[in-house]
Amino acid sequence: MSTLPEISDAEWTVMQVLWERSPQTAAEVVDALDGHAAWAPATIKTLLGRLIRKGALTYTEDGNRYCYRPAVDRAACIRRAGRSFLDRVFAGDPMPALEHFVRSEPLSDDQIEALRRLLDERREGGTR
C-alpha cells in the first residue's frame, strides 16, 4: 500500500493484536482483547471491518471464518503516527518532545544507558 491509512486509537488496539500474531480469526482477536478493552465482540468486529475498508488489514476465508492479517507495516505506521504527534503537539520540533519525555517519565539506568548509546550512534552518523 502506497499511502498509510489513518488509524484511530481504538483501531490501534486491534492492530497491535494482529501485528503481534497473524493471522487470527475475529474470535481470536476478541479473546486477545478480553480484559484489555471493555468492548463487545460486535465492536471488535466493527473495528476489523473498518480496518479492512481502510486497507490496514486483509483477510482470507477459512470455511465460514475470516482470518485477518495486517496489510500495513507496523514500523511505517509508528513513524507516521509519531510524525503526526510531533507536528500537532510540538510544532514538528523533536527537541521539546525529547526533553518532555526524559524529564517527565521514569527511566531505568538501563534505559538511560540505551538512550546514551542511541545518541552517540546518531552523532557518529548512524541511522536516521
Side-chain angles (χ1 to χ4, degrees), residues 67-102:
C67 294
Y68 300 93
R69 67 177 36 86
V72 292
D73 180 65
R74 180 186 218 166
C77 289
I78 290 170
R79 277 191 304 275
R80 181 174 194 248
R83 171 49 54 194
S84 174
F85 173 77
L86 197 62
D87 289 345
R88 281 182 291 113
V89 178
F90 294 99
D93 186 354
M95 192 59 202
L98 291 169
E99 184 176 344
H100 166 75
F101 288 115
V102 167

Side-chain angles (χ1 to χ4, degrees), residues 14 54-55 69 78-79 81 92 105 109:
V14 172
K54 289 180 175 188
R69 67 177 36 86
I78 290 170
R79 277 191 304 275
E105 296 299 316
D109 289 343

